Amino acid sequence: MKETWIFDLDNTLHDAQSKIFPLINQKINQYISIRLKISIEKSSVLRKKYWDLYGATLRGLIKHHNINPTDFLEKTHDLKNFENLVVPMHNLLKVITSINGRKLLYTNAPKNYAIKILEVCKINSYFDEVFTIEDSNFLPKPSDESMKLFMRKYKIKKAFFVDDIKENLETAKKFGLTTIWLTQQEEKPSYIDKKICRLSDLIINQSSLR
Protein backbone atom coordinates (compact mmCIF):
# COMPACT_ATOMS: atom_id res chain seq x y z
CA MET A 1 0.00 0.00 0.00
CA LYS A 2 1.41 3.39 -0.95
CA GLU A 3 2.15 5.95 1.74
CA THR A 4 -0.06 8.94 2.49
CA TRP A 5 1.41 12.40 2.99
CA ILE A 6 -0.68 15.24 4.42
CA PHE A 7 0.40 18.85 4.02
CA ASP A 8 -0.83 22.06 5.56
CA LEU A 9 -0.93 25.04 3.17
CA ASP A 10 -0.14 28.46 4.67
CA ASN A 11 3.42 28.80 5.98
CA THR A 12 4.05 25.19 5.04
CA LEU A 13 3.93 25.09 1.25
CA HIS A 14 4.25 28.85 0.82
CA ASP A 15 5.37 31.77 2.95
CA ALA A 16 2.01 33.32 3.78
CA GLN A 17 3.45 35.49 6.52
CA SER A 18 5.44 37.74 4.20
CA LYS A 19 2.71 39.07 1.91
CA ILE A 20 -0.67 37.30 2.03
CA PHE A 21 -1.42 37.11 5.76
CA PRO A 22 -0.96 40.84 6.41
CA LEU A 23 -3.54 41.57 3.69
CA ILE A 24 -5.99 38.92 4.90
CA ASN A 25 -5.63 40.05 8.51
CA GLN A 26 -6.41 43.59 7.42
CA LYS A 27 -9.51 42.39 5.57
CA ILE A 28 -10.61 40.35 8.60
CA ASN A 29 -10.19 43.35 10.90
CA GLN A 30 -12.32 45.45 8.54
CA TYR A 31 -14.95 42.73 8.27
CA ILE A 32 -15.23 42.33 12.05
CA SER A 33 -15.31 46.10 12.53
CA ILE A 34 -18.22 46.51 10.11
CA ARG A 35 -20.22 43.47 11.23
CA LEU A 36 -19.79 43.97 14.99
CA LYS A 37 -19.68 47.76 14.86
CA ILE A 38 -16.41 48.04 16.80
CA SER A 39 -13.13 49.81 16.11
CA ILE A 40 -10.37 48.38 13.95
CA GLU A 41 -8.18 48.14 17.06
CA LYS A 42 -10.76 46.07 18.94
CA SER A 43 -11.36 43.98 15.82
CA SER A 44 -7.67 43.10 15.65
CA VAL A 45 -7.67 42.04 19.30
CA LEU A 46 -10.74 39.85 18.72
CA ARG A 47 -9.24 38.32 15.59
CA LYS A 48 -6.11 37.25 17.48
CA LYS A 49 -8.13 36.03 20.46
CA TYR A 50 -10.30 33.73 18.36
CA TRP A 51 -7.27 32.49 16.40
CA ASP A 52 -5.57 31.47 19.63
CA LEU A 53 -8.72 29.90 21.08
CA TYR A 54 -10.03 27.98 18.09
CA GLY A 55 -7.25 27.74 15.51
CA ALA A 56 -9.20 30.02 13.15
CA THR A 57 -10.84 33.40 13.69
CA LEU A 58 -13.89 32.26 11.74
CA ARG A 59 -14.80 29.63 14.33
CA GLY A 60 -15.03 32.24 17.06
CA LEU A 61 -17.11 34.54 14.88
CA ILE A 62 -19.56 31.73 14.09
CA LYS A 63 -19.80 30.58 17.70
CA HIS A 64 -20.11 33.94 19.40
CA HIS A 65 -21.52 36.27 16.73
CA ASN A 66 -23.47 34.06 14.30
CA ILE A 67 -21.36 35.27 11.36
CA ASN A 68 -22.16 33.73 7.96
CA PRO A 69 -19.03 31.69 7.13
CA THR A 70 -19.44 31.80 3.36
CA ASP A 71 -19.78 35.57 3.35
CA PHE A 72 -16.78 35.91 5.68
CA LEU A 73 -14.50 33.73 3.54
CA GLU A 74 -15.52 35.37 0.28
CA LYS A 75 -14.86 38.89 1.55
CA THR A 76 -11.68 38.24 3.53
CA HIS A 77 -9.88 36.01 1.01
CA ASP A 78 -10.74 37.94 -2.15
CA LEU A 79 -7.20 38.96 -3.11
CA LYS A 80 -6.03 40.48 -6.36
CA ASN A 81 -2.77 39.61 -8.15
CA PHE A 82 -2.22 36.26 -6.45
CA GLU A 83 0.86 35.72 -8.61
CA ASN A 84 2.60 38.64 -6.91
CA LEU A 85 1.61 37.59 -3.39
CA VAL A 86 2.49 33.90 -3.32
CA VAL A 87 6.01 33.01 -2.17
CA PRO A 88 6.53 29.23 -2.62
CA MET A 89 8.81 27.54 -0.14
CA HIS A 90 12.35 26.90 -1.37
CA ASN A 91 12.53 23.96 -3.81
CA LEU A 92 8.80 23.36 -3.35
CA LEU A 93 8.26 21.56 -6.65
CA LYS A 94 11.31 19.37 -6.05
CA VAL A 95 10.05 18.47 -2.57
CA ILE A 96 6.57 17.53 -3.73
CA THR A 97 7.75 15.51 -6.72
CA SER A 98 10.34 13.68 -4.61
CA ILE A 99 7.66 12.23 -2.34
CA ASN A 100 6.02 9.05 -3.56
CA GLY A 101 2.51 8.19 -2.46
CA ARG A 102 -0.85 9.84 -2.00
CA LYS A 103 -0.64 13.57 -1.25
CA LEU A 104 -3.45 15.37 0.56
CA LEU A 105 -3.83 19.04 1.40
CA TYR A 106 -5.47 19.74 4.77
CA THR A 107 -6.01 23.42 5.46
CA ASN A 108 -8.20 25.84 7.40
CA ALA A 109 -8.23 28.08 4.34
CA PRO A 110 -11.20 28.29 1.94
CA LYS A 111 -11.24 26.14 -1.19
CA ASN A 112 -10.96 28.84 -3.88
CA TYR A 113 -8.00 30.39 -2.10
CA ALA A 114 -6.25 27.04 -1.56
CA ILE A 115 -6.61 25.98 -5.18
CA LYS A 116 -5.28 29.33 -6.42
CA ILE A 117 -2.23 28.98 -4.19
CA LEU A 118 -1.52 25.48 -5.50
CA GLU A 119 -1.93 26.69 -9.09
CA VAL A 120 0.44 29.63 -8.64
CA CYS A 121 2.97 27.27 -7.01
CA LYS A 122 2.51 24.90 -9.98
CA ILE A 123 1.88 21.90 -7.74
CA ASN A 124 -1.90 21.49 -8.02
CA SER A 125 -1.60 18.43 -10.28
CA TYR A 126 0.49 16.58 -7.67
CA PHE A 127 -2.21 16.60 -4.98
CA ASP A 128 -4.78 13.83 -4.94
CA GLU A 129 -7.25 15.65 -2.68
CA VAL A 130 -7.78 19.12 -1.21
CA PHE A 131 -9.59 19.32 2.14
CA THR A 132 -10.52 22.85 3.18
CA ILE A 133 -12.52 24.61 5.88
CA GLU A 134 -15.75 24.09 3.92
CA ASP A 135 -15.17 20.32 3.92
CA SER A 136 -14.92 20.28 7.72
CA ASN A 137 -18.24 22.12 8.17
CA PHE A 138 -16.19 25.18 9.21
CA LEU A 139 -14.58 23.31 12.10
CA PRO A 140 -10.87 24.19 11.90
CA LYS A 141 -7.73 22.38 12.90
CA PRO A 142 -6.74 21.59 15.62
CA SER A 143 -10.22 20.40 16.65
CA ASP A 144 -10.79 16.65 17.00
CA GLU A 145 -14.01 17.02 15.01
CA SER A 146 -12.17 18.40 11.99
CA MET A 147 -9.58 15.63 12.14
CA LYS A 148 -12.27 12.95 12.41
CA LEU A 149 -14.01 14.26 9.30
CA PHE A 150 -10.73 14.41 7.41
CA MET A 151 -9.57 10.94 8.42
CA ARG A 152 -12.94 9.37 7.67
CA LYS A 153 -13.36 11.04 4.28
CA TYR A 154 -10.05 9.72 2.93
CA LYS A 155 -10.00 6.44 4.89
CA ILE A 156 -6.66 7.29 6.50
CA LYS A 157 -5.12 4.76 8.85
CA LYS A 158 -1.49 5.87 8.78
CA ALA A 159 0.12 8.97 7.27
CA PHE A 160 2.86 11.57 7.55
CA PHE A 161 1.52 15.01 8.45
CA VAL A 162 3.54 18.20 7.80
CA ASP A 163 2.36 21.42 9.47
CA ASP A 164 3.89 24.61 10.86
CA ILE A 165 1.50 24.79 13.84
CA LYS A 166 2.30 22.36 16.62
CA GLU A 167 -1.24 22.31 18.05
CA ASN A 168 -2.49 20.84 14.77
CA LEU A 169 0.13 18.13 15.05
CA GLU A 170 -0.80 17.40 18.65
CA THR A 171 -4.29 16.48 17.46
CA ALA A 172 -2.86 14.49 14.57
CA LYS A 173 -0.69 12.45 16.94
CA LYS A 174 -3.78 11.45 18.93
CA PHE A 175 -5.14 9.95 15.71
CA GLY A 176 -1.99 7.92 15.12
CA LEU A 177 -0.31 10.05 12.45
CA THR A 178 3.44 10.61 12.14
CA THR A 179 3.96 14.30 12.88
CA ILE A 180 6.48 16.56 11.14
CA TRP A 181 6.80 20.10 12.51
CA LEU A 182 8.12 22.79 10.18
CA THR A 183 9.59 25.33 12.57
CA GLN A 184 12.57 27.36 13.70
CA GLN A 185 11.69 26.89 17.36
CA GLU A 186 14.00 25.02 19.71
CA GLU A 187 11.40 23.06 21.65
CA LYS A 188 10.29 19.57 20.67
CA PRO A 189 7.07 18.42 22.34
CA SER A 190 6.63 14.68 22.88
CA TYR A 191 3.94 14.48 20.18
CA ILE A 192 6.35 15.67 17.47
CA ASP A 193 8.08 12.83 15.62
CA LYS A 194 10.34 14.99 13.45
CA LYS A 195 11.31 18.65 13.30
CA ILE A 196 12.45 20.30 10.09
CA CYS A 197 13.69 23.87 9.63
CA ARG A 198 12.85 24.05 5.93
CA LEU A 199 10.35 22.15 3.82
CA SER A 200 13.23 21.09 1.57
CA ASP A 201 14.62 19.08 4.51
CA LEU A 202 12.01 16.47 3.60
CA ILE A 203 14.07 15.54 0.55
CA ILE A 204 16.89 14.14 2.68
CA ASN A 205 14.86 13.09 5.73
CA GLN A 206 12.19 10.83 4.25
CA SER A 207 14.07 7.62 4.91
CA SER A 208 14.61 8.48 8.58
CA LEU A 209 10.85 8.76 9.14
CA ARG A 210 10.13 5.15 8.26
Side-chain angles (χ1 to χ4, degrees), residues 7 15 30 32 34 50 79 98 100 128 131 136 138 153 165 167 173 176 183 193:
F7 290 89
D15 179 10
Q30 292 170 343
I32 294 173
I34 292 170
Y50 289 158
L79 302 175
S98 74
N100 295 316
D128 298 278
F131 187 90
S136 65
F138 305 105
K153 182 169 184 176
I165 297 178
E167 289 80 6
K173 191 63 180 176
T183 184
D193 293 305

Side-chain angles (χ1 to χ4, degrees), residues 29-30 32-47 65:
N29 290 344
Q30 292 170 343
I32 294 173
S33 177
I34 292 170
R35 290 299 187 280
L36 303 187
K37 297 180 172 57
I38 58 177
S39 68
I40 290 292
E41 292 74 20
K42 289 182 179 179
S43 298
S44 182
V45 171
L46 200 61
R47 171 179 59 79
H65 307 284

Side-chain angles (χ1 to χ4, degrees), residues 163-177:
D163 202 310
D164 67 296
I165 297 178
K166 66 180 187 294
E167 289 80 6
N168 297 341
L169 295 169
E170 184 175 16
T171 300
K173 191 63 180 176
K174 290 192 296 185
F175 284 79
L177 303 184

